Each structure stands twice: as structure tokens, then as C-alpha cells.
Amino acid sequence: MEDNASPGSHPRVVILGGGFGGLAVARGLADTGARVTLVDRRNHHLFQPLLYQVATAGLSAPSIAAPLRQILRGQPNVTVLMDEARGVDLSRRRVTLDRGMLDYEVLVVATGATHAYFGHDDWEPHAPGLKTLDDAFTIRRRVLLAFERAEREDDPAQRQAWLNFVVVGGGATGVELAGTLAEIARHTLPREFRRADPRQANVLLVEAGPRLLPAFAPELSEKARRQLEKLGVEVRLDTSVTRIDAQGVMLGDTPHAARTVLWAAGVAASPLGRQLGAPVDRAGRVLVEPDLSVPGHPEVFVIGDLASVTQPDGRPVPGVAPAAKQMGRYVAATMKARWQGKTCPPFRYRDDGSLATIGRMAAVAQFGRLKLSGLLAWWVWLVAHIAFLIGFRNRLVVMLDWAWAYWTYQRHARIVTGADETATLPRDA
Amino acid sequence: MEDNASPGSHPRVVILGGGFGGLAVARGLADTGARVTLVDRRNHHLFQPLLYQVATAGLSAPSIAAPLRQILRGQPNVTVLMDEARGVDLSRRRVTLDRGMLDYEVLVVATGATHAYFGHDDWEPHAPGLKTLDDAFTIRRRVLLAFERAEREDDPAQRQAWLNFVVVGGGATGVELAGTLAEIARHTLPREFRRADPRQANVLLVEAGPRLLPAFAPELSEKARRQLEKLGVEVRLDTSVTRIDAQGVMLGDTPHAARTVLWAAGVAASPLGRQLGAPVDRAGRVLVEPDLSVPGHPEVFVIGDLASVTQPDGRPVPGVAPAAKQMGRYVAATMKARWQGKTCPPFRYRDDGSLATIGRMAAVAQFGRLKLSGLLAWWVWLVAHIAFLIGFRNRLVVMLDWAWAYWTYQRHARIVTGADETATLPRDA
């Protein structure tokens, strides 16, 4: 199926990926003559910064996901296709999809990154990562079922193994998951079990490097560690995970029994990056030109987590939502300038600050030299995340959910759906 | 594992099933000395009357489901076990679970019903039914993906097959599903597709009997039919479905191409009913005594959709939520009376009226001789369903969702998650 073969004078733009980057390109091309096709293998844009809240039963999935068609319905020059890109033929300027192909004059690749196990793919079934809504449901199911299993277990060691949680990776996602798990065990569940005591849960956060949140200033890393410990999380720095299986994790040479292990340790770029034939870094990110185009192919842009961009001061542009959005807006502006015969200055990343939440009334924030932690940072985090959510309804519902959770300590999305993988574990596993 | 073996003078009550019936028994035994164990294979109570709204992307799952533990947390005499009952040994008074067994002095079986294909189990993959949250996700995914497939289809006949929806069964669930599908096609989606026109969707409601909503008065059945047709649903009465496969349905001898078929035609009682060895009716429901106990076993009660109860006027008690709740309360009261050496009068069903919604501002309601339809019935339906939802938060969120949906025609849970079954269909299927 030739999806956009009709001839015309308006440039044909194909965008692969409907995340923060791809969506910003499509929106930036509103009110232009460009015929835009946005391809995503999912039907929704996901507000990934709050995905850990779905995984920990604090928010329902529709609160942080909106159909791409609905977001772009007001832009008649955009066609949304739910499909997956399998390859790009740069010389023929054609993208191969699962169900057809697309010719382009300008291509924007914004397919992001996924979690990666660095050569340990056998760890995946034992330590799910967190990139999609289905990942979040898997984590939610495992965490909730672990407490159910603990309640049914007579053997004290086995029971404790069900109450032991390990989060691998001390970046923002790992810190958020660990802090929230501790809160669930200490505050949400205690009165609800009759034999297992959820307060006996141990949440262990393991980081291979010397500090948590390496993207932040060292003093904030230290504050984050102390806030986590206050919430009941056990933090282990400079500690490598050498094995993960159904029994738990191996920390160096020491086994640590845990039936629930969550992976927040690393991401790898979408395989489409290598497919382009352009130079990539170790994580598979494309080393783009200063205008975010692929070397030798000014008509192909790579943005967001898939792009490796170095700032003038030598530091890399971080793989965060604001950077992806800025790249998307920049690429749309560059296209428009080119169509008018003009040129654009190179892409510059504007650091609007970094935020990471840790748990109830605890967060860290960094805006240039201004560093915040604790309650004030938590409020900033709260307001910023509600403000950037797409859709008026979602903002309202998330505010309501958070207010309710704050006062009651309850988490409203505590429902187990989908197949129970733990049921298939051998009884002595 | 012996789950309640500790001796004591307080009666041991085991309740199988945490639906409306089982939950009413547990709540009715608050402030008694009874040691109650409630067993459910899911961790949540489901507000089933609104399940079709999850299936049609109007509500998120957590809005209509609450963890059983959370509902019962204030009742220290209740232990909740997430497990599945496999059998009952009436002579030894013992229940076998997947992960252990439970001795009882009083047993309440409230495991309900599930959808059934009446000897056509091969229809199930092509025509999902609606009883659990996972069922609702399956239907939501299929419906949303059908429009996505239509958008990608060049062949007009194939495209129309993706836009043809068939709902089998004209009871409350079938009417609700058909009405909502028509609303989605006509009002929610039209501006969002560029090639397929969602307004070309055909929603066909097929009922084998002579009228819709047989539980209502004939004039309301007729009103429901007219309201559905006004919403754009094609209603076929006196029409039998003789085959369902990947191509669509066979109506008598006439094939009707449709890629999406939903099953709302019949339910069968939980297999635990036959397991009891008591007399059952054709649907597998247990023919209970006037006090809802099993013949010959006054210590075993069967309630809710699993019980076959005849009212003094000869009519059966309907399989609806209010009836299950009343039976649960009655059984709790009967137990308490017996423990005090008293007896209870037979169970009497109090008909509080019937309600069925059809679509935007359209419903039918029947309270004794009072019959309502249209806007007024819709308001009654709305208020009743919000009032009976469990949890203050859920009431607030559902109200907000409905108000938003009403003004915008949008449905906020339009996200596709889980595996796409349609991708595995052969291209010429």
C-alpha cells in the first residue's frame, strides 16, 4: 500500500514516533502546507514522566495517555497511521512499515529508546523495565501479587522473599519507583493483611555508580539518598548486580532473595537508529549534525532520545522530555525556514531545570544554580507535571487523584489485571 | 496449607466470591464474632453494571473496581484470600483452593456466572464476551483497532468489514454496547480519520427473541428499539446467529461481513454450582431452598447469579446486582438469627426497579407500574449508578468523566494496550 503517493507541490513530511519529539514536529507544522504523516505503533501519546505512577497504582492509564488522533484532530494536514516502521531507504527516500510503505521528502525519526539489559536479556523476565503502559501494568501486577503471595506463605523465609523488593538503577525512574514502593508498604497496605505485615517489606535500591540521580548536583544526590532512607528505602551505592533470576539478585558475590525485581538501570536507542547507516554512539543513538540532521542527509532528522547531541560546553543533551520537545520545535522551524530559502542556526538546548520526585513531600529540583529539595521541590514537581500533562480533563483527574491519595494514603488503581506470571513459577523457585 | 485451622468458639464462615453477593455477606457479618474468610480469584470487587463503559473507552478500569482488601479493611474479622475455589467437600465441610484448603462451619457460594456460547465455544475467539476487566480491555482494543484497520484498508469491501460491528444479544449489555458503539462512530471519531469515515460504521444488534430487553415491559422494549435506531443502530429481532468466524456472522442463511463481533447473548453459572451435587437448572444455577441454602445442607448457601430462586408469584429472581446484594444481606441475617437460636422467614426479593441505558440521553426505567424512557430515564440511571458505586473518589471521578464526555463527546480511555489479536489474522481473513 502506497500511503502518500498522490503528487502535489506541498512537501511530504513523515514523522516516525508520536512521543514528545514527534508530536512537537507535527504541531510545529500546523498552518503550513506540509502534508504530514505521523506513524506510531501505539495509538496514544504517553506522558512518560508519570508512567511510574501507573506502575505503582497511583494513576490509571488513561490519565497519562491520550490518543494521537485526538491530540492532532484539529490539524487537517496531519494523517496519523498506527503502524511500525521497519526500515528506511535513504537513497529512495522511503520508509518501510509493517503494512505498507511511505515516501517522504523530509523524514523525522523520533522513535526514542527502550529499556536494555546490556547483554543480559535473560534478566528481562525476572526484572521488568518501564517504558510502555503494558510494562507499567506488568510491574503493578507483580508488586500487588507479591503482597498477596506473602499473605499465603507459611514459611518465614519465603514470605520475606515475597516482601523483598529490589529496584536496579538509581536514576530518576529508580528513585521514584523505590520511594513509592516504600510508601505503599508502610502507609497504604498495613491494615489490609491479616498474616503478612506489609511493613516488613524491604525495598532495596541498587546503583552501580557512586551516587543517585547522576544528572543532578552531588549535594542533591545526597539529599535524595537521605530522603529515600527516611521513607524506608535501603540504598546501596557502588554496588553491581551480577545476576538476576527467580530467586532474586546477586549483588557482587552476595545473593539477596527477592521475588520482585524492577529494572531501571539502562536504556538503549530504538533499533531504527542503526538502520539509518549513520554513525551511532554506544547506546545506539545517532550522532547528528548541529541542525539535528543525519550526516550527508539534510532531509532526515533524528530527535529525542534517539539523537546524540553535544552542547557547546561539551556536555550531552539529556534524554528528557523537554529536550525532545525542544528538538521537535527546532526541526519544524528549520523545515519552515528551508522552504522559505532561509537557514537556521544550530540547535541549542535550553536547560529549564531538572526535577525528580522521591515520595510523599520529597523531591529534588535544580534550576541552574538554584537547588531545592524536600517539600518545596515536591510542590514544584507537582505543579510542573500537572501543567505539562496533555488535556484539560487529565489535569483535573490527576489533581483529584493526587489530592485523594495525599489525604487517604490510598492508591486508587490497585487492581490486578492480565495473566499472573507468578502462578507459573515453580513452588520452590 | 490449612488456612483457618485455629480452633475457637466463633463460627468459621467461608465466602467464595467477592461480587455484590459475597461482599454483602461479609459486610453483614461485621460486629459479629464470626471469623470470615472471603476468597476471590481477583483482588478487586467489580462494579459490573458499568463494565460496558470500560469496554467502550468511557471509563478507566480503576473507576469501577476497588481492591477487596481496601473495601473490607475496617472489618478485622474478615480475612481476604486471593485464590480460586476448585471444589467443595460437603461431607467434610472443606473447600479446596488452588493453594490450599479451608474448613468451614458455614459456606456461602457466590461465584456468579460467566458468558457462555451454548455449545459454540469456537465462537469465543471471534466474539468476546464481557464479564471481567480483561474482557473489557479485549473489547476496547478490538473496537479501537477496527477503526485503525479501516483507515489503512484500500479495498472498499474490506474497509466496510472493519467498519461493521455486530452485537449479539439484545439484553441490557447488548443494548448498552450497541448504543455506545454507534455514538463513538457518529460523534467521537469522525474528525480524526483522513480516509475511512467512521460515520460509515454499521452497528447491528441481533436478538433471537421477538423484543429487546425482555426483562422490561413490552412498551419499553419498543421504546428502546426506537431510541437505538435514532442513535444509528440497526436492530434485527427474531434473528438467530448460526455461525461466527473471522469473516463475520451468519444470520440464518445470510452472511454478514464484520470484523468485530461482540457477544452479549448468554451467561452460564459458575461450574462450582454443579460441583455441589445439588440440583441445578439448565444454566447450571443451583435450585436452592427458600432460605437460599442447598437442599440437605442448611450450612451451605448459594446466592447471586449462581442461585436459582423462584418468587412466590412464580417468576424467577433476576440475575442483577440488587438481587445479589439482597441475598447476601439475607444470608448474613439468617446466620446471625441461627446463632441466636432463632429462625428467619424465607428470602423475599424486593424489586426496586429496572434500568437500562441506551446511549446519550436515552434509557428505559421501570419501577413497578411506573415506566420511564428517554431523557428522564437516563437521568435516573445516571444518578442511581453513581450512587451505588463504591468509594467516594470513584463517584467523583465517574461524575467528572461523564460530564466531560457529555460536553465534548470524547471518551477519555481510548488507549490500546495489550497484544493486538487482529495482527495475527491472515490478510485475506
Coordinates of all heavy atoms in Angstrom, one line a residue, chain A residues 19-22 24 45-50 131 303-305 317-329 347 349-350 352-353 385 388:
Chain A
G19 N 6.0 10.5 20.3 CA 6.3 10.9 21.7 C 6.4 12.4 21.8 O 5.9 13.1 20.9
F20 N 7.1 12.9 22.7 CA 7.3 14.4 22.9 C 7.9 15.0 21.7 O 7.5 16.1 21.2 CB 8.1 14.7 24.2 CG 7.4 14.4 25.4 CD1 7.7 13.3 26.2 CD2 6.3 15.2 25.9 CE1 7.1 13.0 27.4 CE2 5.7 14.9 27.1 CZ 6.1 13.8 27.8
G21 N 8.9 14.4 21.1 CA 9.6 14.9 20.0 C 8.8 15.0 18.7 O 8.5 16.0 18.1
G22 N 8.3 13.8 18.3 CA 7.5 13.7 17.1 C 6.2 14.6 17.1 O 5.9 15.2 16.1
A24 N 5.9 17.3 18.8 CA 6.3 18.7 18.7 C 6.5 19.1 17.2 O 6.2 20.2 16.8 CB 7.5 19.0 19.5
H45 N -0.3 8.9 22.6 CA 0.9 9.6 23.2 C 0.9 9.4 24.7 O -0.1 9.4 25.3 CB 0.8 11.1 22.9 CG 1.8 12.0 23.7 ND1 3.1 12.0 23.3 CD2 1.7 12.7 24.8 CE1 3.8 12.8 24.1 NE2 3.0 13.3 25.0
L46 N 2.1 9.1 25.2 CA 2.2 8.7 26.6 C 3.0 9.8 27.4 O 4.1 10.2 26.9 CB 3.0 7.4 26.7 CG 3.2 6.8 28.1 CD1 1.9 6.4 28.7 CD2 4.0 5.5 28.0
F47 N 2.5 10.2 28.5 CA 3.2 11.2 29.3 C 4.1 10.4 30.2 O 3.8 10.1 31.4 CB 2.2 12.0 30.1 CG 2.8 13.2 30.8 CD1 3.1 14.4 30.1 CD2 3.2 13.2 32.1 CE1 3.7 15.5 30.7 CE2 3.8 14.3 32.8 CZ 4.0 15.4 32.0
Q48 N 5.3 10.0 29.6 CA 6.2 9.1 30.3 C 6.7 9.5 31.7 O 6.9 8.6 32.5 CB 7.4 8.8 29.4 CG 7.7 7.4 29.3 CD 8.4 7.0 27.9 OE1 8.8 7.9 27.2 NE2 8.5 5.7 27.7
P49 N 6.8 10.8 32.0 CA 7.3 11.2 33.3 C 6.4 10.7 34.4 O 6.9 10.5 35.6 CB 7.4 12.7 33.3 CG 7.6 13.0 31.8 CD 6.8 12.0 31.1
L50 N 5.2 10.4 34.1 CA 4.3 9.9 35.2 C 4.0 8.4 35.1 O 3.1 7.9 35.8 CB 3.0 10.7 35.2 CG 3.1 12.1 35.7 CD1 1.8 12.8 35.7 CD2 3.7 12.1 37.2
K131 N 8.8 1.3 30.2 CA 8.8 2.2 29.1 C 7.4 2.4 28.5 O 7.1 3.4 27.9 CB 9.7 1.7 28.0 CG 11.2 2.3 28.1 CD 11.2 3.8 27.8 CE 12.6 4.4 28.2 NZ 12.6 5.8 28.0
I303 N 15.6 13.0 16.3 CA 15.4 13.9 17.5 C 15.1 13.0 18.7 O 14.8 11.8 18.6 CB 14.3 14.9 17.3 CG1 13.0 14.3 17.0 CG2 14.7 15.9 16.2 CD1 11.8 15.2 16.9
G304 N 15.1 13.7 19.9 CA 14.7 13.0 21.1 C 15.7 12.0 21.6 O 16.9 12.2 21.4
D305 N 15.3 11.0 22.3 CA 16.2 10.0 22.9 C 17.0 9.3 21.9 O 18.0 8.6 22.3 CB 15.4 9.0 23.8 CG 14.8 9.6 25.0 OD1 15.1 10.8 25.3 OD2 14.1 8.9 25.8
V317 N 23.2 16.6 25.5 CA 21.8 17.0 25.8 C 21.2 15.8 26.5 O 21.2 14.6 25.9 CB 21.1 17.3 24.5 CG1 19.6 17.6 24.8 CG2 21.7 18.6 23.9
P318 N 20.5 15.9 27.6 CA 20.0 14.8 28.3 C 18.7 14.2 27.6 O 18.1 14.9 26.9 CB 19.6 15.4 29.7 CG 19.4 16.8 29.5 CD 20.3 17.2 28.4
G319 N 18.5 12.9 27.9 CA 17.3 12.2 27.3 C 16.1 12.5 28.1 O 15.6 11.5 28.7
V320 N 15.6 13.7 28.1 CA 14.4 14.0 28.9 C 13.4 14.7 28.0 O 13.7 15.1 26.9 CB 14.8 15.0 30.0 CG1 15.7 14.3 31.0 CG2 15.4 16.3 29.5
A321 N 12.1 14.7 28.5 CA 11.0 15.2 27.7 C 11.2 16.6 27.2 O 11.0 16.9 26.0 CB 9.7 15.1 28.4
P322 N 11.7 17.6 28.0 CA 11.8 18.9 27.5 C 12.8 19.0 26.3 O 12.6 19.8 25.4 CB 12.3 19.7 28.7 CG 11.9 18.9 29.9 CD 11.9 17.5 29.5
A323 N 13.9 18.2 26.4 CA 14.9 18.2 25.3 C 14.2 17.7 24.0 O 14.4 18.3 22.9 CB 16.1 17.4 25.7
A324 N 13.4 16.6 24.1 CA 12.8 16.1 22.9 C 11.8 17.1 22.3 O 11.8 17.3 21.1 CB 12.0 14.8 23.3
K325 N 11.1 17.8 23.2 CA 10.1 18.8 22.7 C 10.9 20.0 22.0 O 10.5 20.4 20.9 CB 9.4 19.4 23.9 CG 8.2 18.7 24.3 CD 7.4 19.5 25.3 CE 6.5 18.7 26.2 NZ 5.9 19.5 27.3
Q326 N 12.0 20.4 22.6 CA 12.8 21.5 22.0 C 13.3 21.1 20.6 O 13.3 21.8 19.7 CB 13.9 21.9 22.9 CG 13.5 22.6 24.2 CD 14.6 23.0 25.1 OE1 15.7 23.2 24.7 NE2 14.4 23.0 26.4
M327 N 13.8 19.8 20.6 CA 14.3 19.4 19.3 C 13.2 19.3 18.2 O 13.4 19.7 17.1 CB 14.9 18.0 19.4 CG 16.2 17.9 20.2 SD 17.0 16.3 20.2 CE 17.8 16.2 21.7
G328 N 12.0 18.9 18.6 CA 10.9 18.8 17.7 C 10.5 20.2 17.2 O 10.3 20.4 16.0
R329 N 10.4 21.1 18.1 CA 10.1 22.5 17.7 C 11.2 23.1 16.8 O 10.9 23.7 15.8 CB 9.9 23.4 18.9 CG 8.6 23.2 19.6 CD 8.3 24.4 20.6 NE 9.2 24.4 21.7 CZ 8.8 23.9 22.9 NH1 7.6 23.4 23.1 NH2 9.7 23.9 23.9
F347 N 21.0 23.8 16.6 CA 20.1 23.6 17.7 C 20.8 23.9 19.0 O 22.0 23.6 19.2 CB 19.7 22.1 17.8 CG 18.9 21.7 19.0 CD1 17.7 22.1 19.2 CD2 19.6 20.9 20.0 CE1 17.0 21.8 20.4 CE2 18.9 20.6 21.2 CZ 17.6 21.0 21.4
Y349 N 20.2 23.6 23.2 CA 19.3 23.1 24.3 C 19.2 24.1 25.4 O 20.3 24.6 25.9 CB 19.9 21.7 24.8 CG 19.2 21.2 26.1 CD1 17.8 21.0 26.1 CD2 19.9 21.0 27.2 CE1 17.2 20.5 27.2 CE2 19.3 20.6 28.4 CZ 17.9 20.3 28.4 OH 17.3 19.8 29.5
R350 N 18.0 24.4 25.8 CA 17.8 25.4 26.9 C 17.4 24.5 28.1 O 16.4 23.9 28.2 CB 16.7 26.3 26.5 CG 16.6 27.5 27.4 CD 15.4 28.4 27.1 NE 14.1 27.7 27.5 CZ 13.2 27.3 26.6 NH1 13.3 27.5 25.3 NH2 12.1 26.7 27.1
D352 N 15.8 24.0 31.2 CA 14.8 24.6 32.1 C 14.8 24.1 33.5 O 13.9 24.4 34.3 CB 13.4 24.4 31.5 CG 13.2 25.1 30.2 OD1 13.9 26.2 30.0 OD2 12.5 24.6 29.3
G353 N 15.8 23.2 33.8 CA 15.9 22.7 35.1 C 15.5 21.2 35.2 O 15.0 20.7 34.2
H385 N 4.3 19.0 36.7 CA 3.8 17.8 36.0 C 2.4 17.9 35.6 O 1.9 17.4 34.6 CB 4.2 16.5 36.8 CG 5.6 16.1 36.6 ND1 6.6 16.8 37.2 CD2 6.1 15.1 35.9 CE1 7.8 16.2 36.8 NE2 7.5 15.2 36.0
F388 N 2.2 20.2 32.5 CA 2.6 19.7 31.2 C 1.8 18.5 30.7 O 2.0 18.1 29.6 CB 4.1 19.4 31.2 CG 5.0 20.6 31.2 CD1 5.7 21.0 32.3 CD2 5.0 21.4 30.1 CE1 6.5 22.1 32.3 CE2 5.8 22.5 30.0 CZ 6.5 22.9 31.1

